[in-house]
Amino acid sequence: MSQPRYQSHDAVKEPHAISLKVLRLSRPSLVTQFPLQQPLSSPSTIRPPPLPASLAYSPPAATNGDANGDDPNPDPFILSPIVNLPPSFGQAYVGETFSCTLCASHDAMTPAESAALGLLPGASRKSIRDVRIEAEMKTPGAESVVKLELSPPPANAGGEGKRGLDLRAGDTLQKIVNFDLKEEGNHVLAVTVSYYEATDVSGRTRTFRKLYQFICKASLIVRTKPGPLPAGRDGARRWVLEAQLENCGEDSMQLEKVVLELEQGLVYSDCNWEVAGGQKPMLHPGEAEQVCFVVEEVVDSREGEGVQEHEGRIVFGILGIGWRGEMGNRGFLSTGKLGTRHVKPRERKVTA
Amino acid sequence: MDPAKDAAPKGHTRTRSAVKATRPRASTKGPLDAVDVPLTSPLSAQPQQQQQALHHHHHPSPLPRSTTHSPAPPSHPRMIPAPLGPSRSPVPIFVPGPISPLPRSAPHSPAPPRRTLPARPKDFSYLLRPDVYHAVAADNVPAAFRVASAKQPAPDTPIAELLARGQFRAAAAAAAATLTTPGRIAPGDGEAIFGLLYTRLACLMLVDATAVAAQEVKALEDLNSVFYLDEVTGVHLVPWALRVLIVRLQAMGFGDPRRAVMGYYELAREARMRLAEAMASHDNSERELWKERLADLGVRVAGALVEMNDLTGAAQHLASLKEGRESGKLTMAKALLWLHLGDAEAARRVVKAGEMGEKAEKVVAALCDMADGEYGAALARWEELDEQSNDEMIGVNRAVCLLYVGKMQEGKTLLEGLVASSRASHTLLFNLTTMYELCTEKARDLKIKLSETVAAMDESPSGWEKSNADFKL
């Protein structure tokens, strides 16, 4: 995320008592480790315990005399079950949910600062009340901005009512926003913090706003191609719909499902990994997966034609693709309406 | 392949072109080059070849050198390392020093090399050269660990003590110093040299200097060459743990992660051979040892595939491994791999099908909830686990979950509690400093304070000194 741009709503130039920090909450990641044998240990003992410093975390103290018996660390495997918070913003992709935590904190003064004001260390000369956070997202296409819902909702019991939360020095008000990324291009997350700053003699409401800009990229290129098939048993028209899904992002993804949502009067059968009993396909950056469906008209004897044609064009419906990224990060895309120009299948020339 | 090779047995018609062909081969040697090593029994072929090799040094003309193209195993000059220089003349490096124990007269001896005498000591003096070892700077160590710390060890502290105190940077430096001090280690004392080398490389990896280790390991050149075999017993002179470590480091040093997979397979082939021998001779402890090593290599191959980001390959490989005594660990490895790959369903399936302890099952269940974005459910599981055991991993994961449900303050307190109970893994410190960054504009002060707290901790084999990166300083 690019450097925030400050936009002051205050006439006062005095620094704010509240700071705002954000962290994109992608999935936490499993920590890697390279277990090593103890140096200077006898070479031929069977499986000496690994050097504790080479493990991702210190093994729990042995219990019941069973040394590390219940430690789930799968050493010497490279992955360990302990997790790290996201180290960086990473890439934002269309189809994913953008999650971000917003933290408004009442910064305690450093000992030097409070000493200069003749206060006890950590004390503040101001009290901060009614801290509120609001967030909006500006998407590339939209004229207006979308107001984002913050979670967790204010808990009255915790003192955070409609007014906001009173923060003592060192306290933080933390909120989380979620936003489904649907467009490529520049997004701006705008966060507004307002609070009431009271000193012994006076008080005022202060507000500031920070903008966080990031670029959302496409993660998947979908190319589709319809083609006619010979009619089915009861004369129902049939088509094959092929699609090529190319991972154009920088991260690997595992395709979870590909589904068609068809217009009325059409059914389809899936010809992909699930019916073939295969593994879900893994797409590394730049790789493509070919998927295929057979779309068939429902011929109902009472109703006649099953599917509507508009100016010689048959609309099938939309294709939805769901995937999972590292540590299960979800993504879902759907195409626009797919269809085909109705070409009468050549008489029995094409064999299925 | 190489046409010169086919022509080789015809005799001395092999000339310059053959010589030229040897050079690139030597400089790109890797596990695959080793195919010609184990095919010939070291017991029968090696002495003869050794003699050839020594002849080369005495006749550095192109003609005898071309005999390296005979179908015999690679000869001595290939093993004399000159990895850092662009020219690879075998001669200058082999100038016998005053301390070299290698008998220079050997090639002139008319006695046939098939001897009953004990093996001649090898000359490992190329591992004692100071230019092999690089200095490890302390500039990525926070001030709290450097300045005014009474815990920084005295320069003459023995290595074993340094290791016990978790002073890995000092231990790495001490190992290199011992190796390079003239007269300290005899060039023929392989056991001491390789022990120190292992200490050196392992400690470098522990202080985040794996890249340095990957450079230094190049000095060993090709561990598959017959030079590293005992002339009499045919046993590899380098300890197993060091060979396993070197596989990964060499792959990194050459920037080719696939080498690691090949290297592990190479070792696995030997492990299988030894296992078969042990079984034939009904040597139970040997059998168990080699079984263990084989299983270990299997898991390491999967790790190498993960490092190459071939996650599906790693999953298939893990699925192909035989469940041994530690089937719980293997199941856990599979589950974590599926989670890393993003497939929580598969992780749950693996746990259902495998055998794991109750705690491990709950850990995977909680991680699966996190992968599904169900942080509230995951948090409940971590809390339950945390009540049952005092485990750093569970505490850290619980705190991370707290941040994802909007309770970072609670998570921060939890992590600070772990630090107070003398936990200080990289992960714990990284997560705590991330939370510090989120909760104040003045995170730097808190980070420095944290580094002071950790520096004040007792030294332990888990490691004492930390790096700036651990505190995001």
Side-chain angles (χ1 to χ4, degrees):
Chain A
M1 204 150 19
S2 62
Q3 278 296 98
R5 277 178 291 163
Y6 289 84
Q7 200 177 325
S8 182
H9 285 238
D10 276 338
V12 230
K13 285 280 178 245
E14 206 184 316
H16 283 275
I18 295 285
S19 68
L20 175 71
K21 293 296 198 110
V22 303
L23 174 71
R24 183 180 174 198
L25 294 181
S26 328
R27 291 281 192 274
S29 52
L30 297 174
V31 176
T32 55
Q33 59 183 7
F34 305 102
L36 297 168
Q37 194 186 307
Q38 309 259 8
L40 312 179
S41 65
S42 156
S44 53
T45 40
I46 288 185
R47 198 64 206 278
L51 195 62
S54 65
L55 299 176
Y57 58 94
S58 50
T63 45
N64 317 331
D66 179 18
N68 301 331
D70 67 342
D71 181 16
N73 192 336
D75 75 276
F77 191 53
I78 189 168
L79 296 171
S80 75
I82 198 169
V83 297
N84 259 349
L85 288 168
S88 62
F89 184 82
Q91 302 282 346
Y93 292 115
V94 176
E96 290 177 353
T97 300
F98 173 84
S99 299
C100 190
T101 183
L102 317 169
C103 301
S105 308
H106 179 188
D107 266 342
M109 275 183 284
T110 60
E113 282 170 354
S114 35
L117 293 162
L119 295 163
L120 291 169
S124 172
R125 73 206 147 92
K126 301 164 190 160
S127 67
I128 301 297
R129 294 183 208 146
D130 307 347
V131 181
R132 266 177 298 182
I133 305 178
E134 281 171 18
E136 297 162 332
M137 185 72 82
K138 189 176 184 319
T139 54
E143 289 296 306
S144 59
V145 292
V146 188
K147 199 163 179 322
L148 300 178
E149 203 173 300
L150 298 165
S151 67
N156 285 314
E160 183 193 359
K162 263 196 181 143
R163 296 181 309 131
L165 185 71
D166 298 350
L167 288 182
R168 285 169 303 158
D171 278 359
T172 299
L173 170 64
Q174 190 204 355
K175 292 287 172 190
I176 291 164
V177 293
N178 292 302
F179 180 78
D180 290 335
L181 297 168
K182 290 178 177 144
E183 292 173 66
E184 280 178 57
N186 250 337
H187 286 67
V188 180
L189 172 69
V191 186
T192 310
V193 177
S194 61
Y195 58 99
Y196 184 78
E197 183 183 80
T199 58
D200 294 340
V201 286
S202 66
R204 56 180 171 168
T205 299
R206 297 192 70 185
T207 302
F208 69 92
R209 188 174 159 89
K210 272 184 171 184
L211 303 176
Y212 301 90
Q213 185 182 315
F214 64 93
I215 292 174
C216 179
K217 294 181 189 168
S219 57
L220 208 57
I221 297 173
V222 183
R223 301 180 187 89
T224 56
K225 188 181 106 181
L229 284 179
R233 271 159 285 135
D234 36 13
R237 287 177 293 178
R238 299 197 307 164
W239 301 267
V240 60
L241 178 65
E242 294 167 272
Q244 203 177 56
L245 317 173
E246 183 186 328
N247 179 357
C248 59
E250 286 166 34
D251 306 310
S252 301
M253 55 165 76
Q254 187 191 42
L255 292 179
E256 196 168 41
K257 55 178 179 180
V258 282
V259 285
L260 282 178
E261 279 175 44
L262 294 177
E263 301 283 307
Q264 252 193 333
L266 290 170
V267 289
Y268 79 95
S269 49
D270 180 312
C271 316
N272 304 304
W273 60 87
E274 267 178 43
V275 269
Q279 295 273 345
K280 292 175 194 165
M282 186 83 186
L283 286 185
H284 290 107
E287 286 181 354
E289 173 77 14
Q290 187 93 13
V291 294
C292 165
F293 305 90
V294 173
V295 179
E296 188 171 348
E297 195 178 19
V298 185
V299 180
D300 191 318
S301 49
R302 286 167 301 172
E303 304 261 335
E305 283 288 279
V307 63
Q308 299 289 316
E309 273 178 44
H310 299 286
E311 294 165 2
R313 192 178 151 80
I314 290 171
V315 174
F316 294 150
I318 59 172
L319 170 65
I321 305 130
W323 71 88
R324 306 289 290 264
E326 189 187 328
M327 260 315 260
N329 194 27
R330 278 204 175 88
F332 188 84
L333 268 188
S334 50
T335 63
K337 295 243 176 186
L338 303 171
T340 183
R341 201 155 280 284
H342 175 230
V343 183
K344 214 174 155 95
R346 277 170 284 172
E347 296 289 321
R348 292 287 163 198
K349 272 207 173 157
V350 187
T351 47
Chain B
M1 230 179 91
D2 187 353
K5 196 151 192 167
D6 297 335
K10 284 180 190 160
H12 60 277
T13 50
R14 303 155 267 133
T15 51
R16 297 205 66 86
S17 65
V19 173
K20 269 182 190 164
T22 53
R23 296 190 166 190
R25 194 163 172 249
S27 63
T28 58
K29 83 173 69 65
L32 284 187
D33 291 81
V35 287
D36 44 2
V37 178
L39 294 181
T40 327
S41 162
L43 282 170
S44 57
Q46 198 198 341
Q48 194 186 2
Q49 173 234 346
Q50 192 77 13
Q51 198 172 28
Q52 275 181 358
L54 289 163
H55 267 297
H56 299 167
H57 303 298
H58 290 262
H59 309 280
S61 70
L63 196 63
R65 265 172 65 194
S66 68
T67 56
T68 48
H69 265 273
S70 70
S75 58
H76 209 122
R78 272 189 66 200
M79 296 130 225
I80 301 306
L84 301 171
S87 76
R88 309 188 41 84
S89 161
V91 184
I93 305 136
F94 214 70
V95 171
I99 46 168
S100 167
L102 197 72
R104 295 290 96 190
S105 59
H108 301 293
S109 158
R114 193 183 291 272
R115 71 201 79 197
T116 47
L117 295 166
R120 286 169 304 153
K122 305 261 181 180
D123 182 1
F124 298 116
S125 54
Y126 56 92
L127 296 173
L128 306 179
R129 294 201 325 245
D131 58 311
V132 169
Y133 304 98
H134 306 259
V136 184
D139 48 13
N140 66 342
V141 176
F145 293 89
R146 279 182 285 137
V147 190
S149 178
K151 295 196 176 86
Q152 278 297 347
D156 56 347
T157 316
I159 292 174
E161 189 192 323
L162 291 173
L163 292 173
R165 288 167 56 185
Q167 297 280 7
F168 300 122
R169 191 168 54 86
T178 312
L179 281 166
T180 53
T181 306
R184 190 82 180 267
I185 304 283
D189 189 354
E191 201 183 327
I193 291 174
F194 293 126
L196 286 164
L197 198 58
Y198 182 82
T199 307
R200 166 79 182 171
L201 297 173
C203 288
L204 284 177
M205 290 175 75
L206 293 176
V207 299
D208 215 10
T210 306
V212 177
Q215 285 309 308
E216 293 185 357
V217 83
K218 287 181 179 173
L220 283 157
E221 294 242 316
D222 185 3
L223 277 191
N224 291 315
S225 85
V226 286
F227 175 71
Y228 284 108
L229 299 181
D230 185 290
E231 287 170 29
V232 176
T233 61
V235 169
H236 209 286
L237 295 168
V238 179
W240 185 259
L242 180 56
R243 294 172 71 191
V244 174
L245 184 65
I246 285 169
V247 165
R248 176 162 177 264
L249 289 175
Q250 281 194 332
M252 291 175 87
F254 288 107
D256 181 5
R258 281 172 306 172
R259 282 178 78 115
V261 177
M262 296 188 284
Y264 289 137
Y265 267 96
E266 201 69 50
L267 289 179
R269 187 161 66 181
E270 184 177 327
R272 279 209 183 84
M273 228 159 68
R274 302 270 176 231
L275 180 58
E277 282 168 18
M279 282 163 88
S281 62
H282 304 287
D283 186 339
N284 277 350
S285 63
E286 275 288 294
R287 190 189 64 200
E288 287 308 306
L289 176 69
W290 287 106
K291 258 190 182 169
E292 200 68 68
R293 286 177 172 175
L294 199 54
D296 177 89
L297 286 171
V299 177
R300 284 182 196 275
V301 168
L305 290 168
V306 172
E307 281 196 279
M308 286 164 60
N309 204 25
D310 183 0
L311 301 182
T312 32
Q316 278 169 13
H317 174 76
L318 279 184
S320 75
L321 294 181
K322 225 158 117 188
E323 309 249 338
R325 278 194 296 125
E326 294 187 302
S327 61
K329 282 198 173 190
L330 189 57
T331 309
M332 189 67 178
K334 289 177 191 170
L336 291 180
L337 180 61
W338 282 119
L339 278 165
H340 180 66
L341 199 147
D343 196 338
E345 273 323 300
R348 290 191 178 101
R349 261 199 319 272
V350 159
V351 171
K352 223 177 224 171
E355 270 177 44
M356 260 200 322
E358 196 191 335
K359 179 177 169 186
E361 268 183 35
K362 285 181 179 169
V363 166
V364 174
L367 289 171
C368 285
D369 283 343
M370 288 171 87
D372 286 342
E374 304 290 340
Y375 297 106
L379 180 60
R381 290 186 194 270
W382 291 125
E383 280 168 346
E384 191 197 327
L385 277 163
D386 209 8
E387 274 161 29
Q388 291 161 0
S389 63
N390 172 25
D391 188 331
E392 181 179 11
M393 178 265 294
I394 287 163
V396 168
N397 288 358
R398 179 182 172 186
V400 167
C401 252
L402 281 166
L403 187 144
Y404 278 79
V405 298
K407 295 180 180 170
M408 182 183 64
Q409 297 254 61
E410 220 178 292
K412 191 178 75 176
T413 312
L414 181 62
L415 293 183
E416 283 173 336
L418 286 172
V419 172
S421 64
S422 296
R423 309 284 198 177
S425 71
H426 302 287
T427 310
L428 166 59
L429 299 176
F430 175 86
N431 286 326
L432 181 53
T433 40
T434 304
M435 290 188 189
Y436 283 158
E437 284 176 349
L438 278 175
C439 71
T440 173
E441 204 74 65
K442 298 160 189 157
R444 199 181 154 77
D445 298 346
L446 292 172
K447 293 175 186 177
I448 288 173
K449 227 180 111 197
L450 179 62
S451 75
E452 286 163 1
T453 310
V454 176
M457 284 181 184
D458 288 339
E459 297 159 282
S460 82
S462 299
W464 171 73
E465 198 175 82
K466 305 285 168 193
S467 73
N468 280 329
D470 290 326
F471 303 97
K472 293 200 188 175
L473 277 165

